[in-house]
Amino acid sequence: MLTTQGVRVSSRDYSYNILKEKIMSLELEPGTKISEKEIADELNVSRTPVREAFMKLAQEELLDVIPQYGTIVSRINLEHVEEGRFIREMVEKEIVILVSKDFPEVFRFRLESNIRMQELCMEQNNFQKIFELDEEFHQLLFAACRKERTWNMLQLLNSHFKRLRLLRFSSDTNWEIIINQHKSLYQLITNKEGEKASEIMEKHLRLAFLEQHVLKEKYPNYFIG
């Protein structure tokens, strides 16, 4: 048994978790060719769990198996991006309305702390941590109205949109817009102004998508569609 994030897991799950994290963080760039042997050697596991991890990641559309060529990290598909954004927008606009009606005190503190950490990371120019905190901010909204399973389900459909958003974070240091939107969302939820919070959420989730063409020009090899 191996350990990932402090939890003991099988070689297959270990390989899957490490590979997925490398893909989602863009450490393994879209279009990168990888092999079972290289990954097995790098992770110090046999090829069988790596092969199983490859199969699972291919089912999640994070790896593409190309006949007579090999396996590559899937490029960001803009049709999948739009679908992921659409689903998140429809759901999260309703989530903030729900949270506005009943916002548990413990989540107020956690959201406040999250926003302050975002500001600190902006001062330190740490885009990776700001992105993680951004994801946590949204996850907390789902948890606040007991919709954690919905959040987990969305993650399965959201991998291409999520990579686009991380690319946007790494390319644009004007993170203050995003953090200010988080502040507005928090304040509107606290004031029980759900409809206004819903409008802000719509604008918030469209930021990266509106900039997709700029990102595609800057990183042409990362995209299809």
Side-chain angles (χ1 to χ4, degrees):
M1 299 291 284
L2 298 165
T3 302
T4 177
Q5 297 182 342
V7 179
R8 293 177 64 81
V9 295
S10 66
S11 296
R12 179 194 61 190
D13 290 342
Y14 174 78
S15 302
Y16 167 81
N17 290 338
I18 294 295
L19 275 172
K20 185 167 185 177
E21 174 59 29
K22 286 178 178 289
I23 293 170
M24 296 305 299
S25 68
L26 302 177
E27 181 179 340
L28 280 174
E29 298 178 355
T32 301
K33 186 176 181 180
I34 60 176
S35 73
E36 291 177 7
K37 183 180 185 306
E38 290 173 352
I39 297 299
D41 290 344
E42 178 183 340
L43 301 181
N44 196 28
V45 297
S46 68
R47 291 180 65 172
T48 298
V50 173
R51 184 178 304 116
E52 293 172 345
F54 272 32
M55 291 173 60
K56 188 172 181 180
L57 290 165
Q59 290 173 347
E60 295 179 13
E61 299 179 328
L62 289 173
L63 291 180
D64 291 331
V65 180
I66 304 174
Q68 282 77 54
Y69 180 76
T71 301
I72 68 167
V73 177
S74 67
R75 291 183 169 86
I76 299 173
N77 186 314
L78 292 179
E79 288 188 3
H80 294 351
V81 168
E82 164 55 16
E83 186 175 6
R85 182 209 61 77
F86 172 79
I87 293 170
R88 276 196 64 174
E89 180 182 314
M90 293 301 103
V91 175
E92 293 200 44
K93 286 170 64 177
E94 294 301 316
I95 286 290
V96 292
I97 290 173
L98 282 176
V99 176
S100 297
K101 295 176 181 177
D102 182 15
F103 191 21
E105 188 65 36
V106 63
F107 287 100
R108 296 186 186 211
F109 175 77
R110 292 175 69 181
L111 283 176
E112 285 180 357
S113 301
N114 177 284
I115 292 170
R116 289 175 184 172
M117 282 297 297
Q118 289 179 45
E119 291 175 320
L120 177 62
C121 290
M122 181 173 65
E123 293 173 6
Q124 297 175 347
N125 208 36
N126 188 339
F127 80 87
Q128 181 73 47
K129 187 59 180 178
I130 293 176
F131 179 76
E132 292 173 6
L133 288 164
D134 177 275
E135 286 288 296
E136 181 185 84
F137 179 91
H138 290 266
Q139 185 176 5
L140 286 170
L141 295 176
F142 281 78
C145 58
R146 299 183 178 181
K147 296 291 186 292
E148 294 98 329
R149 291 175 68 248
T150 304
W151 170 262
N152 292 334
M153 178 196 70
L154 288 177
Q155 301 316 296
L156 298 175
L157 301 172
N158 218 35
S159 58
H160 289 258
F161 182 45
K162 188 173 180 179
R163 284 192 292 167
L164 180 79
R165 294 184 69 239
L166 179 57
L167 195 58
R168 192 259 183 191
F169 270 77
S170 67
S171 304
D172 182 3
T173 57
N174 191 13
W175 304 312
E176 192 171 359
I177 294 173
I178 294 169
I179 295 173
N180 284 338
Q181 287 180 336
H182 287 159
K183 289 180 179 178
S184 295
L185 285 166
Y186 172 78
Q187 195 60 56
L188 290 168
I189 289 169
T190 302
N191 294 341
K192 298 186 180 299
E193 297 180 80
E195 293 298 333
K196 290 183 179 179
S198 182
E199 293 174 9
I200 296 295
M201 182 62 78
E202 180 178 336
K203 294 177 181 177
H204 181 65
L205 291 174
R206 291 190 180 191
L207 277 177
F209 187 73
L210 292 172
E211 297 171 4
Q212 63 176 307
H213 299 298
V214 175
L215 294 172
K216 190 174 181 181
E217 287 181 8
K218 189 173 183 179
Y219 304 98
N221 295 328
Y222 282 15
F223 291 88
I224 59 173

